[in-house]
Amino acid sequence: MLVLNCSTKLLILEKMLKSCFPESLKVYGAVMNINRGNPFQKEVVLDSWPDFKAAITRRQREAETDNLDHYTNAYAVFYKDVRAYRQLLEECDVFNWDQVFQIQGLQSELYDVSKAVANSKQLNVKLTSFKAVHFSPVSTLPDTSFLKGPSPRLTYLSVADADLLNRTWSRGGNEQCLRYIANLISCFPSVCVRDEKGNPVSWSITDQFATMCHGYTLPENRRKGYSRLVALTLARKLQSRGFPSQGNVLDDNTASISLLKSLHAEFLPCRFHRLILTPATFSGLPHL
């Protein structure tokens, strides 16, 4: 195991990962954030350098952590050889097996290999699989002629909005998610539409892997074109900073899939896999 701390090597790694799209997108996004101030206190673990076969991004060991916070305790994985990934899994100090955490990646063997090692350590593994998408370049501000009603106030989210996002996110509704969303809003780009009272009615945020997530419009404000405006604006904002504009969507989320198709987003050939791993000590907790 090698923790890559050299800033020059991390920039080289970023370029190397870019040549491995789309499977490397999650690790690439995390490494980009590390190279641009590292607001989420991440680090990179490799099997070797420079001819690495597996790369993992994780929370820095010295960073404060909550053992129940699988949102923040998140690892992104990319491998050229799945055996190298398994070897890193089996090393005692690469993953923190004593806390609830998640693993993200875009490769098909990720679940089976991770589950096999987790089972040997008596952790439960919950898999959710998504369609992975990538937005085409958005070179200009989105056209607002499709909007219904008065022109909206388009702005960004503040930490004060975190409670609303926590209550409306299908993954939220708990203290850990509230804190995580507040941190995302503080660290990464977001876009929202506000009503005449200044309250958010439609929004999307960016996560620690530079992924567009939690795109949501309040029910009473749907079918006005807000989701389209927010998605295109956030994609453009990310692209203007050099980030890939990527996202994920569940197979049964037909409304979002229709929106993405109308935006000519590219559905990638690989799928996005999110694994939540829970030690027996914490099993049975309601939000896991």
Side-chain angles (χ1 to χ4, degrees), residues 109-158:
E109 303 102 330
L110 183 68
Y111 173 67
D112 288 340
V113 173
S114 302
K115 182 174 175 57
V117 177
N119 284 349
S120 70
K121 298 178 180 292
Q122 298 183 324
L123 276 78
N124 177 66
V125 183
K126 177 184 177 182
L127 169 68
T128 310
S129 184
F130 305 73
K131 293 180 184 292
V133 298
H134 184 264
F135 283 83
S136 302
V138 183
S139 57
T140 59
L141 286 172
D143 178 16
T144 58
S145 62
F146 58 83
L147 293 172
K148 298 177 182 178
S151 295
R153 179 187 168 202
L154 189 64
T155 181
Y156 50 85
L157 293 161
S158 75

Side-chain angles (χ1 to χ4, degrees), residues 125-282:
V125 183
K126 177 184 177 182
L127 169 68
T128 310
S129 184
F130 305 73
K131 293 180 184 292
V133 298
H134 184 264
F135 283 83
S136 302
V138 183
S139 57
T140 59
L141 286 172
D143 178 16
T144 58
S145 62
F146 58 83
L147 293 172
K148 298 177 182 178
S151 295
R153 179 187 168 202
L154 189 64
T155 181
Y156 50 85
L157 293 161
S158 75
V159 172
D161 303 315
D163 182 63
L164 173 62
L165 270 68
N166 183 39
R167 287 186 279 112
T168 52
W169 200 6
S170 59
R171 296 180 57 207
N174 57 76
E175 177 185 344
Q176 288 79 16
C177 188
L178 175 62
R179 184 170 59 242
Y180 176 65
I181 289 173
N183 287 338
L184 293 183
I185 292 172
S186 298
C187 294
F188 305 121
S190 65
V191 172
C192 79
V193 171
R194 295 185 184 274
D195 63 16
E196 63 277 2
K197 296 181 180 179
N199 299 314
V201 298
S202 181
W203 60 80
S204 184
I205 59 178
T206 312
D207 74 6
Q208 56 192 304
F209 306 111
T211 304
M212 297 166 61
C213 66
H214 194 10
Y216 189 86
T217 300
L218 295 177
E220 61 271 23
N221 289 278
R222 292 173 185 170
R223 296 183 174 85
K224 296 181 179 180
Y226 292 166
S227 294
R228 179 185 182 91
L229 177 63
V230 165
L232 288 173
T233 303
L234 184 54
R236 183 177 186 270
K237 183 180 288 191
L238 288 168
Q239 291 169 5
S240 71
R241 301 183 183 190
F243 285 85
S245 46
Q246 55 169 318
N248 317 301
V249 60
L250 288 167
D251 293 83
D252 60 358
N253 191 343
T254 54
S256 292
I257 291 172
S258 296
L259 172 65
L260 290 165
K261 288 180 177 178
S262 74
L263 298 176
H264 306 292
E266 176 190 4
F267 287 82
L268 301 175
C270 51
R271 292 181 62 81
F272 166 57
H273 307 288
R274 184 183 70 230
L275 288 58
I276 297 179
L277 297 89
T278 306
T281 309
F282 302 122

Side-chain angles (χ1 to χ4, degrees), residues 27 55-56 75-79 85 95 103-107 110:
V27 173
I56 297 170
Y75 300 72
V77 172
F78 168 69
Y79 50 81
Y85 169 53
F95 291 81
I103 299 175
Q104 295 193 6
L106 292 158
Q107 291 169 283
L110 183 68

